[in-house]
Amino acid sequence: MINFQYSRANDVADAVRQIAASPSAKFIAGGTNLVDLMKMDVERPAKLIDVSKLQLDKVEETASGGLRIGALVRNSDLAYHPLVQRRYPMLSSALQAGASQQLRNMASVGGNLMQRTRCAYFYDIATPCNKREPRSGCAAIAGHNRMNAILGTSDACIAVNPSDMCVALAVLEARVNVTGPRGERTIGLADFHRLPGDTPQRDTNVEADELITSVELPPRGFERNYTYLKIRDRLSYAFALVSVAVGLELDGNTVKEARFALGGVAHKPWRNTQAEAQLRGQPPSETTFTQAANLVLRDAKGFGHNAFKIDLARRTIARALSQAARATPQSQSNKKIL
Ligand SMILES: Cc1cc2nc3c(=O)[nH]c(=O)nc-3n(C[C@H](O)[C@H](O)[C@H](O)COP(=O)(O)OP(=O)(O)OC[C@H]3O[C@@H](n4cnc5c(N)ncnc54)[C@H](O)[C@@H]3O)c2cc1C
Ligand code: SF4
């Protein structure tokens, strides 16, 4: 039995005051990740500061024509919110591809951004893991690494970020608002999650005493030509082997704007702006999509069990781009796909 304290924050200022006073405390929202980690002895916070009742549960339009999403909005409420379904359907799709309905009913936006890797060794305290215990080693590199990363890895860690929501947020170029004892700041999604380098214990650039208050989406939502394609071992309730979120804008038969990001392949949602730039001004064809996919995977590295992901990712990118270009966001088994 490991004892810990529990308290509920009354408002954002109170949450920040409480965490500043207890540096080894952690915020808890839906608890769907943190409680599991505590049960498995991976996380041992001295105190839980419950933020689940804070008034951060609204989805509002911003003056610039975008959307502000409170950090406590539940994943299911966000997925089915009319503004999200109409203007940011890729985000709605990505959220619905994650976990199960029951988990999505509990999971919050802030918690989803901060959820930890599902690398099996991270959860098994009998094995070495640099993320759980810095400088202890990485059991995954020579172990069972089928779910692990192929891009942006380091000698210290080959874990992947497991979020579906964050892959769509990367394409939408969301911005995350945080507040802490040193005040408020905004972190672009591209800089939110970190690559493992030699500090894999740090998943994000949020400080331990900072609270996520909201996520802002710019106006561009790619509501016509989009897709979120998730390849996994089961059709539902499974983490991505590879996933791809795509947003395209077409001008006749020319790609005007192209953005895509991958999940399940790296320590953060993976974008390659060079590959996106290569698509602009080109026809939306099998050839151009395959060339872009090849560029993304050029520096990919497999570790044995997960080497299959390199070709899988290449084909998933090409197929997702092709689905988005046809404005058929879901796979259609009766059509020829790449
Ligand atoms: C069986 C299972 C299957 C799953 N499958 C998927 C899947 O397929 N795809 C997917 O994307 N996800 C999946 N998930 C993960 C799920 O989406 C996350 O557990 C959930 O999003 C976490 O949200 P939460 O509010 O419950 O976070 P919590 O568990 O409460 O917290 C998680 C972390 O976030 C921190 N935190 C929470 N809120 C804030 C805040 N406002 N500011 C700063 N830090 C904060 C906490 O301190 C903690 O470190 C799965 C989970 C389970 C258990
Ligand atoms: S890949 Fe990362 S999380 Fe997994 S065992 Fe290695 S250090 Fe730990």
Side-chain angles (χ1 to χ4, degrees):
M1 178 81 180
I2 299 168
N3 288 318
F4 61 89
Q5 293 180 310
Y6 169 89
S7 74
R8 184 166 277 172
N10 297 321
D11 52 33
V12 169
D14 184 36
V16 170
R17 242 188 331 267
Q18 288 198 41
I19 199 120
S22 314
S24 55
K26 292 213 82 157
F27 295 125
I28 185 162
T32 61
N33 190 208
L34 184 53
V35 172
D36 280 355
L37 289 164
M38 290 172 69
K39 283 187 196 161
M40 300 182 89
D41 213 5
V42 177
E43 300 249 25
R44 290 179 169 213
K47 178 177 178 180
L48 290 182
I49 302 167
D50 186 344
V51 294
S52 64
K53 299 287 187 267
L54 299 185
Q55 303 292 300
L56 300 173
D57 56 354
K58 311 259 179 320
V59 178
E60 302 160 307
E61 290 184 275
T62 60
S64 63
L67 221 55
R68 185 180 305 105
I69 302 161
L72 267 306
V73 175
R74 303 294 169 167
N75 284 187
S76 44
D77 291 339
L78 187 59
Y80 298 117
H81 194 284
L83 283 172
V84 174
Q85 288 197 310
R86 191 170 74 244
R87 294 182 46 200
Y88 303 93
M90 176 213 308
L91 176 58
S92 178
S93 272
L95 284 159
Q96 289 177 60
S100 64
Q101 185 63 52
Q102 288 90 337
L103 283 159
R104 295 192 295 269
N105 288 344
M106 287 301 291
S108 64
V109 166
N112 194 317
L113 278 158
M114 297 294 285
Q115 67 172 295
R116 308 216 64 190
T117 185
R118 309 305 289 202
C119 175
Y121 300 104
F122 177 66
Y123 283 78
D124 179 357
I125 60 165
T127 59
C129 169
N130 289 321
K131 185 181 281 296
R132 181 171 23 79
E133 198 183 323
R135 290 173 296 284
S136 64
C138 171
I141 289 175
H144 289 283
N145 50 41
R146 186 167 180 277
M147 299 297 288
N148 289 66
I150 52 170
L151 287 163
T153 54
S154 74
D155 292 343
C157 180
I158 59 169
V160 301
N161 180 289
S163 171
D164 291 293
M165 178 189 83
C166 293
V167 185
L169 292 184
V171 170
L172 296 169
E173 299 190 342
R175 297 171 69 73
V176 183
N177 295 319
V178 302
T179 185
R182 294 160 302 284
E184 295 176 10
R185 65 189 180 112
T186 298
I187 310 170
L189 211 279
D191 300 319
F192 187 87
H193 298 99
R194 296 160 60 100
L195 288 179
D198 55 8
T199 53
Q201 67 274 22
R202 286 205 65 182
D203 295 338
T204 72
N205 284 316
V206 177
E207 299 297 334
D209 57 4
E210 288 181 312
L211 177 76
I212 299 170
T213 52
S214 64
V215 171
E216 284 189 26
L217 302 181
R220 192 178 239 164
F222 301 102
E223 61 272 21
R224 183 176 151 72
N225 293 102
Y226 73 92
T227 199
Y228 184 72
L229 179 59
K230 180 175 179 180
I231 308 297
R232 46 190 155 172
D233 285 329
R234 290 185 300 265
L235 252 187
S236 74
Y237 203 28
F239 289 95
L241 290 165
V242 172
S243 68
V244 181
V246 178
L248 296 178
E249 280 177 13
L250 303 180
D251 186 3
N253 198 36
T254 304
V255 176
K256 202 169 113 199
E257 174 63 354
R259 290 194 209 152
F260 62 97
L262 279 76
V265 297
H267 208 250
K268 59 189 289 186
W270 192 264
R271 265 184 81 184
N272 181 322
T273 49
Q274 210 188 332
E276 292 174 0
Q278 191 172 288
L279 288 171
R280 290 185 202 116
Q282 300 297 315
S285 69
E286 186 169 336
T287 308
T288 51
F289 293 159
T290 303
Q291 283 167 350
N294 286 340
L295 183 54
V296 174
L297 275 308
R298 192 178 55 188
D299 300 322
K301 180 179 167 195
F303 292 85
H305 297 284
N306 72 346
F308 75 98
K309 278 192 179 186
I310 299 175
D311 196 42
L312 181 64
R314 188 178 287 121
R315 285 184 286 116
T316 309
I317 293 170
R319 178 165 138 186
L321 284 165
S322 138
Q323 284 180 195
R326 286 196 313 252
T328 53
Q330 303 305 318
S331 301
Q332 292 188 330
S333 55
N334 59 343
K335 283 202 174 184
K336 179 183 179 295
I337 47 176
L338 296 171

